[in-house]
């Protein structure tokens, strides 16, 4: 038998676990094992019992928008107001970021270039 109280689970989660358990039992899995697998499946799909706040781990759309906006502002601030392809901006980017830009601009030999070579090639590509 699985450990822990199932009181925190919603009716839907309990029905789902019962349905999964019945499916395992139909396949010949012992009752205790079927129950354990069923609850493990429910936990994997929904993250466990009811969460405080009602809707589980769902983040509201407005909160996601605010987080994206904040992230964009931080990225812009990290470039310190420099144009995307300026010397200061290119110097602060990671090699992966530079490689992506080089790929977009179809710069040949980019995969074997060092970070400084990528910066130089991106400057030449304009």
């Amino acid at each position: 038998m699985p450990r822990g109280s199932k009181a925190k689970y919603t009716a839907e989660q309990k029905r789902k676990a019962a349905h999964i358990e019945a499916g395992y039992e139909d396949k010949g899995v012992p009752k205790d094992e079927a129950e354990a697998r069923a609850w493990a499946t429910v936990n994997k799909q929904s993250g466990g019992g009811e969460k405080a706040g009602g809707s589980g781990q769902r983040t509201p759309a407005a909160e996601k928008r605010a987080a994206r906006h904040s992230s964009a502002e931080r990225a812009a601030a990290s470039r310190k107001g420099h144009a995307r392809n300026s010397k200061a901006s290119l110097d602060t980017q990671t090699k992966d970021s530079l490689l992506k830009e080089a790929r977009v601009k179809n710069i040949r030999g980019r995969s074997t270039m060092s970070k400084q070579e990528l910066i130089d090639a991106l400057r030449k590509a304009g």
Side-chain angles (χ1 to χ4, degrees):
M1 167 117 187
R3 293 183 288 164
S5 167
K6 304 299 179 226
K8 293 281 186 179
Y9 287 86
T10 63
E12 180 185 2
Q13 290 170 316
K14 290 175 185 177
R15 279 193 311 274
K16 187 180 281 191
H19 180 74
I20 294 168
E21 182 180 346
Y24 278 124
E25 288 176 0
D26 290 345
K27 292 178 183 176
V29 176
K31 177 150 180 61
D32 287 348
E33 176 70 16
E35 186 178 5
R37 286 185 186 183
W39 283 109
T41 302
V42 169
N43 286 337
K44 176 98 178 185
Q45 291 175 346
S46 63
E50 238 175 350
K51 303 288 187 263
S55 65
Q57 297 177 343
R58 231 184 202 144
T59 305
E63 194 174 318
K64 287 181 184 179
R65 264 193 311 278
R68 282 193 302 269
H69 181 72
S70 170
S71 176
E73 284 181 339
R74 287 192 313 275
S78 73
R79 291 191 301 270
K80 298 179 181 100
H82 299 289
R84 186 83 174 128
N85 61 354
S86 71
K87 178 180 178 356
S89 178
L90 289 173
D91 289 337
T92 61
Q93 291 183 49
T94 64
K95 185 175 179 185
D96 283 342
S97 174
L98 294 168
L99 275 170
K100 286 178 186 174
E101 284 192 40
R103 188 176 306 119
V104 168
K105 294 186 178 186
N106 204 21
I107 295 174
R108 290 197 160 310
R110 63 186 174 266
S111 63
T112 59
M113 291 183 183
S114 68
K115 182 176 177 178
Q116 190 57 50
E117 290 171 331
L118 282 167
I119 291 170
D120 294 340
L122 283 166
R123 281 198 194 113
K124 285 179 189 172

